[in-house]
Amino acid sequence: MKICLHPAYGFLESELRRIMKEGYSPDKVFCNNRNVVEKVTLAGKPYVIKKFKRPTLANCFIYTFFRKSKAQRAYEYAMLLLEKGIKTPFPVAYIEVKKNGFFHTGYLVTEYVDYPLLSHLNVEEYTQEELKKLSSSFIYFTISLQEKRILPLDYNPGNIFYLYNKKNNCYDFALTDINRMRFGRVPWTRDTMRSFEQFGLSTEHLYNFMLKYSAERGVDLDFCMYQFLSFRLRKKVKRFLKNKLKSQIRRRELK
């Protein structure tokens, strides 16, 4: 078992090794789907442990010899984001477990942040003025990512925390689930529209959102709308074909 700890959290090494071997009882389970995300208490303080889904046999081989694991990438990307002034839960450690000499399971340990996710936002609890402020703040946040040459590939409401900043009268954001990102170049408009499509914006809010983004970024509104709607259409066609294939399989099974 390999444990890479941030120097500030060296005191947690023995406890992390113990719970990796003996198991632990989580205080709260945030997600138990593809990956498992749980809140735990270590040395009297809350932390989050993310257990990544076990990769395929081919990827176990690749993560052993050729590519960094998702856990290592998430840890290193978090450090990069913080260096660039982008908020994300502070990375405490990443853990890699091997079996028979090959990569088996990866874990990421971060500080716990008590912020709500955008996916949990209840628009009925906000005034239209507050929703406009939230939307504007998010657009500025997205542009700041682009200016810092950062492109999150899982840019959706379930991976973004938000918090009202009373001092600046705006909203701040923090990224999570960051093992899939690109660094090094300013993202193209097409890349951004693919990211925005993950948010499931309604037709009602789409135009105003794009109008604000295109004006602030200095890009053509028509081009933004075209790219966004192209990605949405492809997604719908893909879903339609997938459902049609499933229905055909069911009919054959019933015959």
Side-chain angles (χ1 to χ4, degrees):
M1 178 171 59
K2 172 186 174 183
I3 296 183
C4 179
L5 266 170
H6 188 277
Y9 288 94
F11 64 92
L12 288 178
E13 181 172 0
S14 59
E15 188 162 1
L16 284 173
R17 289 189 180 278
R18 179 185 61 79
I19 67 172
M20 287 297 109
K21 291 179 180 179
E22 301 175 8
Y24 60 91
S25 298
D27 301 330
K28 184 175 182 180
V29 178
F30 297 111
C31 174
N32 188 2
N33 195 3
R34 254 180 106 252
N35 306 310
V36 180
V37 183
E38 299 170 324
K39 179 183 174 184
V40 299
T41 299
L42 302 173
K45 292 183 63 177
Y47 296 90
V48 171
I49 295 181
K50 179 176 182 178
K51 178 182 178 182
F52 291 91
K53 180 184 177 182
R54 186 186 173 190
T56 62
L57 290 176
N59 279 335
C60 285
F61 179 81
I62 291 171
Y63 290 155
T64 302
F65 298 108
F66 302 108
R67 193 182 183 197
K68 295 177 181 179
S69 68
K70 290 182 178 181
Q72 182 177 354
R73 276 180 278 151
Y75 178 91
E76 293 179 353
Y77 289 171
M79 294 303 300
L80 280 172
L81 289 176
L82 292 170
E83 288 173 8
K84 293 177 179 292
I86 302 299
K87 293 182 176 64
T88 189
F90 194 89
V92 174
Y94 73 87
I95 302 168
E96 295 178 347
V97 177
K98 290 186 176 181
K99 287 192 176 181
N100 301 318
F102 289 92
F103 179 89
H104 183 272
T105 311
Y107 299 82
L108 176 71
V109 184
T110 69
E111 290 183 349
Y112 169 71
V113 293
D114 190 18
Y115 299 160
L117 290 166
L118 278 177
S119 58
H120 296 163
L121 177 70
N122 184 356
V123 295
E124 295 180 358
E125 296 178 356
Y126 292 79
T127 64
Q128 287 300 314
E129 182 180 348
E130 281 300 311
L131 289 175
K132 287 180 180 179
K133 187 183 298 181
L134 179 65
S135 177
S136 295
S137 298
F138 178 70
I139 289 171
Y140 290 134
F141 173 71
T142 302
I143 293 174
S144 74
L145 290 176
Q146 296 169 349
E147 291 174 342
K148 293 174 181 179
R149 301 174 183 269
I150 301 169
L151 176 65
L153 298 179
D154 286 326
Y155 202 51
N156 62 69
N159 293 335
I160 302 174
F161 296 109
Y162 71 100
L163 182 69
Y164 181 62
N165 186 326
K166 293 182 180 179
K167 181 179 178 180
N168 297 325
N169 192 29
C170 65
Y171 286 87
D172 291 336
F173 300 90
L175 299 177
T176 186
D177 198 4
I178 55 174
N179 58 281
R180 294 182 65 242
M181 304 193 81
R182 289 179 187 164
F183 296 86
R185 69 168 175 82
V186 177
W188 297 331
T189 303
R190 186 172 185 273
D191 296 326
T192 308
M193 294 305 106
R194 182 189 286 115
S195 297
F196 282 160
E197 202 285 321
Q198 298 179 50
F199 273 79
L201 292 170
S202 66
T203 306
E204 179 184 0
H205 296 110
L206 178 59
Y207 177 77
N208 288 332
F209 188 87
M210 290 301 172
L211 184 64
K212 179 73 173 177
Y213 172 81
S214 62
E216 293 294 336
R217 185 77 193 278
V219 293
D220 184 69
L221 173 61
D222 290 340
F223 183 72
C224 289
M225 294 290 288
Y226 169 75
Q227 291 291 343
F228 181 95
L229 294 173
S230 294
F231 286 119
R232 174 162 288 186
L233 181 60
R234 289 179 199 175
K235 190 173 182 179
K236 287 187 175 183
V237 170
K238 185 177 179 180
R239 188 184 299 120
F240 170 78
L241 293 175
K242 185 177 180 180
N243 291 336
K244 189 172 183 179
L245 179 61
K246 284 183 178 179
S247 64
Q248 289 178 345
I249 292 174
R250 290 196 199 99
R251 288 175 185 174
R252 290 176 183 176
E253 290 174 347
L254 293 172
K255 287 183 180 179

